[in-house]
Amino acid sequence: MRPRDLVALEFDVVRRRVADFAASPVGKELCRELTPSNDTDLVNQQLDATHQCFRLCETTGDLPLGEFPDIRASARSASHDGAVLDGVSLVAIRQVLDAGELVRLHLRKVAEPFEHLRALAERLVPLRELHSTLRRALDDTGDVSDDASDELAGIRRELRVVRARVQRKLEDLFQRPGMEDILSDRFVTLRNNRFVIPVKTPSASHFDGIVQDRSVSGETTFVEPLFAVELNNRLLVAAREEERMVRRILADLTALVRDELVLLMTTFEALTELDALAARARFARDYRCTRPVLDDQEILLRDARHPALLFGDRPVIPTDLLLPPGKRVLVITGPNTGGKTVALKTLGLMALMAQSGLLIPVLEGGRLPCFRAIYADVGDEQSIARNLSTFSAHLANLTHILSQRETPMLVLLDEPGVGTDPEEGAALGIGLLQTLAARQARVVVTTHYAGLKVFALSDPRCATAAVEFDVAALQARYRLVYNSVGESLALPIARRLGMPAEVLDAAELARTDSSRAMADAMTKLETARRQYEERLTEAEDAARNATQARQQSEQLLEELREKRRRKWSTELEEADNFLRDLRERGRLLLAEVERGGVDRKRLKQFVTSEDAVIEERRAEVAPPESGMSSAKPAIGDQVQVAGQGIRGELLAVEGERAWIQRGSLRFEVPAAVLRKVEGAAPKAVEVRIEPMQSETGSEISLLGLRAQEAIDRLQVFLDHAARGHLATVRIIHGLGSGALKRAVAEYLARSPYCSAFRPGVSGEGGAGVTVAELSAG
């Protein structure tokens, strides 16, 4: 890849943004040095590594990897025999070992499903002896601690004892009578690494001691009393011995580092790669990126968003970038509103990102070839040093591109032929497209030239797309509309921007008949395309709605069947219990009859009472009979005993008993089993499938579903759950690529049913489950 093409496509902007997500200086440096590869196997490995790290971070959170220092310079110094690293450099090495051990232990627990992360974890070597020795010998500031050696600890104990003794003796001097006239202050200080006291300069010659220093003003002389000379000498000797011992310990520690240097740098390099990999994963998470599939047959990028635009504050309008199998050239047309060049650069930047191991901001399922080379001729170029005009500079760049023979190759051309006669410029553009297409290059070109538009419509190797534009409002919508060509609309846009009418009228008259005819044909073609597109959209919406309605009906019918099965099961169980109880009480009563303990009147009352209970149960479970009303019957109404064929006129009701008259016969029956008989003929009954209420389940599985299908099912499920007054529900979406989880989260965020949601905890299914709280009422 040429550096000029990386600059033209703004790849540096992406690399710097990825570097912002790295924790360490070396990780940031590695991100800023990301370079596209044209090795398909290597690119697939890098994409897999980024995607695996992205999935790991989605399921278990970020890697526990904070900032760690760059130890490369220290490692180079330590590699030389006799080198001695200072304490700060050795503490930096210890910090790298700390970071490596923390990440290694974390990955041992969670990286089993992720091959690339397991391989990196194996390179984090636990140098336990070096690690523990550095931890014991150095404090966090790099000073050698007393624990480094017993000899050093003894020297420092002696230093502390002697220092305390000399300070105490000097402080005792302050208490002697008459010293206030000699001393300029009452404190002990150090001069030339010897303890001294401040004496007024006029009195210094009368004081027994050695002058070590004088103040800037000259009013104070710092004197070492004679009795302190021996103690100060002992301190000096001990301090020199301490320095010697510290240097020896640092030399020994450096030798340990040198012995483990290869494994140490292996750990450091693995940490650096992990930091850069985690930065790529965080970038993908924040900008909703996906892993593209490397496919030499087509370019398929849905809802692509230009990364550099994502880094700004304004919303980004996504667009589709498509070049189907069999097509080599995509010609993008439309007015000068910026949409064409943005689409061109977006495709180039997506290819550079993917071939650098970065996930790209498009919908799931993106497909791209792994290009051997990517060339761009974008923007105004002018070489003053070579005395080249803008047009000449473009020609020089195009000549270099045409001299290359890599396959597959992506060539991005922004307005080729601009800067010269329009007819010749269009002819030059056609020649470029024909030549590059014949070499099997993929070419994306933006143009205003009618000749190029006609060529694109007539050549089967070309696909066309126009930047969507609101002609009435003269505003760009920035989406690409395929199988269409757009007008330049220079005159309408100029009129909107306030160009004087006389200029526009003269320009209109100056247009040739052929250009007017071409513009009219383009307008008619675009109008017809838009009408057919609207009809197609309406047909697709109708088909989708019909499918959703059918699926919902099937689901509701199945729920009704399940509800009926549960109701029958409950009723059958209740009937079994009732019959078992009835048989038991009947058996006990018969036993009393056999013993002569029950008279016939009591037996008749038992039979009558149980018969009434049975009729009540039959009335409760029996379906409504034709012509019968659920209204409470009144005296004089025609009634029927539910479950039996007995009909008649209701004569009287007393408590739980009722009497009906049929012809000359009179019947006594339980009042609860009577149903009013309607006089009119029975009407057709409208059957409605009511959605389930409290029986609605509290869990739904969306595993194996595409995002849209899953959201459709989730919507119906939440409707049932809300009607059933459930407080919370579990939504099982699994881990996978994270797309289904994000789709569920986006839907719940705007759903009126949901008041809050969160990932599942360990006992609820973990990150593969989302728990949603439903809105009250």
Side-chain angles (χ1 to χ4, degrees):
M1 308 294 176
R2 300 183 305 176
R4 63 175 293 167
D5 298 313
L6 302 184
V7 172
L9 295 174
E10 303 177 80
F11 188 53
D12 241 8
V13 176
V14 175
R15 290 190 291 199
R16 288 197 299 269
R17 187 68 190 98
V18 175
D20 290 340
F21 289 95
S24 69
V26 283
K28 294 180 185 296
E29 178 184 330
L30 194 59
C31 291
R32 287 192 292 267
E33 293 174 352
L34 280 172
T35 304
S37 170
N38 54 23
D39 183 330
T40 303
D41 292 337
L42 177 60
V43 171
N44 269 320
Q45 290 174 13
Q46 292 175 338
L47 287 172
D48 286 343
T50 305
H51 190 234
Q52 288 178 17
C53 190
F54 168 77
R55 288 172 54 199
L56 178 70
C57 293
E58 285 276 283
T59 54
T60 65
D62 274 350
L63 293 177
L65 179 58
E67 183 177 352
F68 58 91
D70 183 356
I71 62 169
R72 289 175 294 184
S74 298
R76 285 192 297 269
S77 297
S79 65
H80 301 293
D81 288 337
V84 179
L85 297 179
D86 59 30
V88 173
S89 299
L90 290 167
V91 166
I93 291 172
R94 188 184 72 191
Q95 290 170 343
V96 167
L97 294 175
D98 287 339
E101 185 66 4
L102 184 63
V103 176
R104 187 182 70 85
L105 293 176
H106 176 74
L107 289 179
R108 280 182 58 186
K109 297 176 184 176
V110 300
E112 181 58 33
F114 306 112
E115 175 187 355
H116 291 275
L117 294 172
R118 289 203 315 272
L120 280 172
E122 290 171 0
R123 291 167 53 195
L124 298 171
V125 185
L127 302 174
R128 293 188 175 88
E129 182 180 354
L130 174 61
H131 194 187
S132 61
T133 302
L134 290 175
R135 186 184 295 117
R136 183 180 66 252
L138 301 169
D139 63 19
D140 291 340
T141 64
D143 290 333
V144 177
S145 68
D146 290 356
D147 295 333
S149 79
D150 293 340
E151 187 176 353
L152 177 64
I155 293 171
R156 286 182 171 170
R157 279 196 299 272
E158 182 183 358
L159 274 171
R160 287 192 290 271
V161 170
V162 176
R163 187 179 294 115
R165 184 177 175 188
V166 68
Q167 284 183 303
R168 185 172 62 253
K169 294 191 71 173
L170 290 175
E171 288 169 355
D172 289 343
L173 188 63
F174 299 155
Q175 310 303 322
R176 293 182 183 179
M179 290 302 293
E180 61 271 9
D181 296 330
I182 298 174
L183 299 175
S184 62
D185 209 334
R186 290 177 173 269
F187 64 84
V188 177
T189 186
L190 280 172
R191 288 294 185 275
N192 299 323
N193 291 323
R194 303 179 76 85
F195 284 101
V196 297
I197 58 174
V199 176
K200 295 175 182 178
T201 298
S203 302
S205 59
H206 306 296
F207 190 84
D208 292 335
I210 301 170
V211 175
Q212 294 292 349
D213 199 2
R214 182 173 290 183
S215 68
V216 176
S217 65
E219 295 180 359
T220 300
T221 298
F222 296 97
V223 177
E224 178 187 9
L226 291 178
F227 66 81
V229 170
E230 181 184 355
L231 293 174
N232 274 328
N233 288 341
R234 287 177 59 186
L235 279 176
L236 188 61
V237 171
R240 293 287 184 269
E241 186 64 20
E242 180 193 24
E243 290 176 7
R244 184 190 64 78
M245 181 57 61
V246 166
R247 182 171 178 80
R248 194 178 82 182
I249 291 170
L250 293 177
D252 291 343
L253 294 175
T254 303
L256 278 178
V257 170
R258 185 163 45 252
D259 291 342
E260 302 286 8
L261 198 55
V262 174
L263 294 179
L264 172 64
M265 293 312 295
T266 299
T267 294
F268 174 75
E269 289 163 4
L271 266 183
T272 303
E273 290 179 37
L274 273 169
D275 189 18
L277 186 61
R280 283 148 51 186
R282 294 182 194 112
F283 175 90
R285 177 195 61 201
D286 279 19
Y287 295 111
R288 294 183 291 119
C289 298
T290 62
R291 188 212 190 280
V293 175
L294 299 184
D295 181 358
D296 287 340
Q297 299 303 312
E298 66 176 323
I299 295 173
L300 174 64
L301 302 176
R302 298 283 186 186
D303 277 6
R305 293 161 290 142
H306 191 291
L309 297 179
L310 288 176
F311 307 153
D313 297 329
R314 294 187 300 175
V316 178
I317 301 173
T319 192
D320 296 339
L321 298 169
L322 313 173
L323 196 57
K327 301 290 185 181
R328 314 302 301 180
V329 179
L330 174 62
V331 178
I332 304 175
T333 58
N336 281 325
T337 56
K340 301 191 300 300
T341 303
V342 168
L344 187 87
K345 287 186 172 183
T346 300
L347 175 56
L349 198 49
M350 294 294 175
L352 293 175
M353 290 174 63
Q355 291 180 218
S356 301
L358 293 170
L359 307 190
I360 57 178
V362 300
L363 289 183
E364 294 276 0
R367 310 182 80 83
L368 271 173
C370 183
F371 296 107
R372 299 281 299 171
I374 299 172
Y375 297 107
D377 189 68
V378 180
D380 293 333
E381 297 188 24
Q382 187 168 12
S383 174
I384 297 175
R386 296 178 57 195
N387 195 25
L388 294 177
S389 67
T390 298
F391 179 69
S392 299
H394 279 294
L395 285 183
N397 187 30
L398 292 171
T399 301
H400 179 267
I401 293 172
L402 290 168
S403 69
Q404 308 304 307
R405 298 284 179 168
E406 296 98 336
T407 301
M409 178 169 65
L410 175 64
V411 181
L412 307 171
L413 305 177
D414 191 23
E415 303 286 353
V418 168
T420 187
D421 177 78
E423 187 173 344
E424 292 184 351
L428 177 62
I430 293 172
L432 284 169
L433 298 189
Q434 288 179 326
T435 302
L436 290 169
R439 296 181 183 178
Q440 301 302 305
R442 297 303 205 302
V443 186
V444 182
V445 58
T446 66
T447 188
H448 286 292
Y449 290 149
L452 270 174
K453 296 177 184 178
V454 172
F455 168 76
L457 291 172
S458 61
D459 193 307
R461 296 170 298 180
C462 297
T464 61
V467 177
E468 192 174 16
F469 195 80
D470 187 339
V471 179
L474 290 179
Q475 290 182 344
R477 292 175 178 161
Y478 297 107
R479 293 181 180 273
L480 291 185
V481 179
Y482 283 82
N483 303 314
S484 177
V485 289
E487 302 173 69
S488 296
L489 299 174
L491 297 183
I493 292 175
R495 180 174 287 107
R496 179 180 179 85
L497 295 177
M499 182 70 71
E502 58 268 27
V503 175
L504 297 174
D505 293 341
E508 189 66 40
L509 291 173
R511 295 175 69 190
T512 64
D513 292 340
S514 61
S515 67
R516 287 198 192 94
M518 175 64 74
D520 291 342
M522 294 292 182
T523 301
K524 291 177 181 178
L525 178 64
E526 181 62 16
T527 301
R529 183 204 61 76
R530 193 175 289 114
Q531 290 173 348
Y532 281 116
E533 188 176 73
E534 290 173 356
R535 292 175 185 174
L536 177 62
T537 300
E538 291 174 359
E540 290 174 345
D541 289 343
R544 185 165 53 252
N545 292 337
T547 301
Q548 292 176 352
R550 177 179 56 78
Q551 292 173 344
Q552 186 173 5
S553 297
E554 291 174 354
Q555 182 179 359
L556 292 176
L557 181 60
E558 180 59 32
E559 290 173 353
L560 179 62
R561 288 171 179 163
E562 179 61 26
K563 180 178 179 180
R564 185 171 60 184
R565 282 194 293 269
R566 288 201 300 268
K567 185 172 184 295
W568 286 350
S569 176
T570 301
E571 290 173 349
L572 181 60
E573 183 179 358
E574 290 177 352
D576 287 343
N577 293 336
F578 173 72
L579 183 59
R580 191 180 301 109
D581 180 62
L582 181 61
R583 283 174 177 170
E584 179 62 21
R585 287 191 291 148
R587 185 185 63 78
L588 294 175
L589 188 61
L590 285 175
E592 290 188 33
V593 169
E594 291 175 355
R595 292 195 301 270
V598 177
D599 57 20
R600 296 179 60 84
K601 182 177 180 182
R602 181 181 171 191
L603 180 61
K604 182 178 180 181
Q605 288 175 346
F606 170 79
V607 172
T608 302
S609 171
E610 296 304 326
D611 180 61
V613 172
I614 292 171
E615 291 299 332
E616 289 177 5
R617 291 294 180 93
R618 179 183 291 129
E620 290 174 0
V621 300
E625 299 182 28
S626 176
M628 296 177 64
S629 170
S630 59
K632 184 177 180 180
I635 304 300
D637 286 343
Q638 288 294 312
V639 295
Q640 177 173 321
V641 178
Q644 301 182 20
I646 301 175
R647 289 194 180 190
E649 179 184 351
L650 180 59
L651 297 179
V653 177
E654 293 182 5
E656 297 181 354
R657 309 301 298 169
W659 287 265
I660 60 175
Q661 183 78 32
R662 181 176 179 181
S664 59
L665 299 177
R666 186 178 182 186
F667 299 92
E668 180 183 0
V669 296
V673 300
L674 293 181
R675 299 290 183 269
K676 181 180 178 180
V677 179
E678 297 288 352
K683 297 182 180 180
V685 179
E686 179 183 1
V687 178
R688 295 181 62 198
I689 300 176
E690 293 295 331
M692 298 171 63
Q693 301 295 324
S694 61
E695 293 85 2
T696 303
S698 62
E699 178 180 294
I700 183 172
S701 174
L702 306 178
L703 297 174
L705 301 180
R706 296 179 66 85
Q708 186 57 53
E709 182 183 0
I711 295 306
D712 293 342
R713 288 193 59 184
L714 179 57
Q715 185 176 4
V716 174
F717 168 73
L718 291 181
D719 181 65
H720 294 164
R723 294 183 181 216
H725 306 294
L726 295 183
T728 60
V729 294
R730 292 175 71 246
I731 304 163
I732 304 172
H733 43 66
L735 302 178
S737 66
L740 187 54
K741 178 180 179 180
R742 290 195 299 274
V744 168
E746 290 172 359
Y747 172 74
L748 293 177
R750 63 176 186 272
S751 172
Y753 297 117
C754 181
S755 60
F757 62 93
R758 58 175 175 79
V761 296
S762 177
E764 297 171 324
V769 168
T770 294
V771 178
E773 298 179 10
L774 303 188
S775 305

